[in-house]
Amino acid sequence: MAMIKWDVLIPKKTGDKIPVAFVLLELIIEIFFELYVVFPTLFEPFSQSYNIHLSIGLFLFFNFIGNFYLSIATDLTSGPNILPSVLKPDWTYCPTCMINSPPRASHCFICNICVLKRDHHCLYTGKCVGHNNQRYFMMMLVYFALGALYANYLNIEFTYEMLNSLNWRVVVTFFAPVIGWIFGFTQSLSFLTCLQCSTCVICLMLSLGMIYYHLALILRGQTTREWRKGIRRYNRGWCQNLLDVFGTRWYLIWLWPWISSPLPGDGIHFVKRDKNLENVKDI
Ligand SMILES: [Zn+2]
Ligand SMILES: [Zn+2]
């Protein structure tokens, strides 16, 4: 495992620091909430079911945080690859980086680099999503959704355990804690508990929406930018499109973020639907 690069974790743009801090803060609050409020209500400390649920929680947490880190720390540029000095068709010259930028790459003015197969600049990581880190970004979303789903499952069990019944007041308070608090439904279930439960519901819905949006684009072989411009020339069929993002060992990447899954492409040369792989001779 490579050394952790702490300096790259801090977003460059002030506007990105707020959403990144929100995600990490919410994650910490959620862990403490589950461990110190929900777990003691549901399980005997260090019993078999306590240990099983703790292991599931830790597995989800480390996979999320590992993919989060790698989607930030991965180099998104062409790295040691030498780019041609003559501008080829579909290539663009980037005056900031002073390089000829490959097809599908574009310059991010926040990251201040030319990102290979740039998808978008993510507010929640403070870094771009592109050819080299899209796998980590998608797995981060998947583990965020799974974590939120698991937390919701525990929270519903917890709510039921506390009230011994699921009536409409509990449902209202669970989804809209402020309304529950105003109407005085939260005598048994405290306002902060409800707030945390409903935050988990919102996180689940948000992450599912983002997975749906980005997976639909990946299956079509489009980046967000190409989707906006109606470019579909890099679609190689959903199966190859998935391999291009998740790598040749896609079936293992759910286990651990640091498991290697080499990408078939280099992020510089792309097969177009109408043409063969561009043969670029470096001059
Ligand atoms: Zn550039
Ligand atoms: Zn960026």
Side-chain angles (χ1 to χ4, degrees):
M1 197 186 294
M3 286 284 288
I4 291 181
K5 305 174 203 166
W6 294 106
D7 53 325
V8 300
L9 292 178
I10 299 161
K12 287 181 180 168
K13 191 182 162 195
T14 315
D16 286 352
K17 286 179 182 159
I18 298 162
V20 173
F22 172 78
V23 169
L24 295 178
L25 189 68
E26 171 53 29
L27 191 67
I28 293 165
I29 293 171
E30 175 54 25
I31 290 167
F32 276 94
F33 174 70
E34 296 299 329
L35 277 179
Y36 295 105
V37 180
V38 177
F39 265 49
T41 315
L42 297 178
F43 315 112
E44 279 289 311
F46 305 107
S47 62
Q48 195 187 23
S49 33
Y50 180 97
N51 291 336
I52 289 170
H53 283 278
L54 188 65
S55 308
I56 294 170
L58 287 173
F59 175 76
L60 296 175
F61 170 75
F62 282 113
N63 267 286
F64 169 77
I65 214 76
N67 281 298
F68 179 82
Y69 169 72
L70 286 174
S71 70
I72 294 171
T74 303
D75 179 17
L76 304 178
T77 65
S78 52
N81 288 308
I82 297 165
L83 299 173
S85 54
V86 168
L87 202 59
K88 296 290 216 175
D90 295 333
W91 286 57
T92 48
Y93 178 71
C94 175
T96 314
C97 303
M98 292 194 288
I99 54 161
N100 286 326
S101 211
R104 311 185 83 182
S106 72
H107 188 85
C108 173
F109 288 95
I110 301 167
C111 300
N112 204 30
I113 46 168
C114 269
V115 178
L116 294 183
K117 202 184 113 185
R118 182 166 177 262
D119 192 274
H120 68 289
H121 183 88
C122 175
L123 283 177
Y124 299 101
T125 58
K127 196 87 189 273
C128 270
V129 177
H131 177 264
N132 296 342
N133 71 344
Q134 201 170 10
R135 159 203 164 173
Y136 305 119
F137 172 74
M138 287 305 293
M139 291 312 289
M140 178 191 84
L141 286 182
V142 166
Y143 275 101
F144 192 72
L146 286 175
L149 185 70
Y150 179 65
N152 278 305
Y153 161 73
L154 289 176
N155 294 346
I156 288 169
E157 289 269 301
F158 166 73
T159 312
Y160 186 80
E161 193 69 30
M162 280 191 77
L163 297 170
N164 290 318
S165 67
L166 275 176
N167 58 42
W168 67 273
R169 289 174 185 220
V170 176
V171 175
V172 167
T173 313
F174 190 82
F175 286 101
V178 177
I179 294 171
W181 181 59
I182 290 169
F183 288 96
F185 299 159
T186 58
Q187 287 128 351
S188 310
L189 215 57
S190 81
F191 173 69
L192 286 176
T193 305
C194 290
L195 190 66
Q196 191 52 34
C197 290
S198 55
T199 306
C200 285
V201 175
I202 294 165
C203 286
L204 177 63
M205 290 194 293
L206 271 178
S207 51
L208 286 178
M210 284 169 77
I211 290 170
Y212 174 78
Y213 172 75
H214 287 291
L215 195 60
L217 288 181
I218 290 171
L219 289 169
R220 291 204 298 257
Q222 277 180 313
T223 62
T224 308
R225 201 163 136 264
E226 288 161 357
W227 172 66
R228 285 201 200 102
K229 293 185 172 179
I231 300 169
R232 300 199 65 174
R233 61 160 77 142
Y234 299 105
N235 184 1
R236 300 171 69 198
W238 66 270
C239 203
Q240 187 59 46
N241 294 339
L242 283 175
L243 277 181
D244 286 344
V245 170
F246 296 106
T248 49
R249 297 209 299 168
W250 53 270
Y251 46 88
L252 290 177
I253 58 170
W254 63 275
L255 274 171
W256 188 238
W258 276 272
I259 285 179
S260 143
S261 179
L263 297 175
D266 59 3
I268 298 172
H269 308 96
F270 292 96
V271 178
K272 285 195 269 187
R273 264 199 305 194
D274 46 344
K275 285 182 189 170
N276 291 325
L277 186 73
E278 295 164 40
N279 288 314
V280 178
K281 286 182 180 155
D282 299 342
I283 299 171

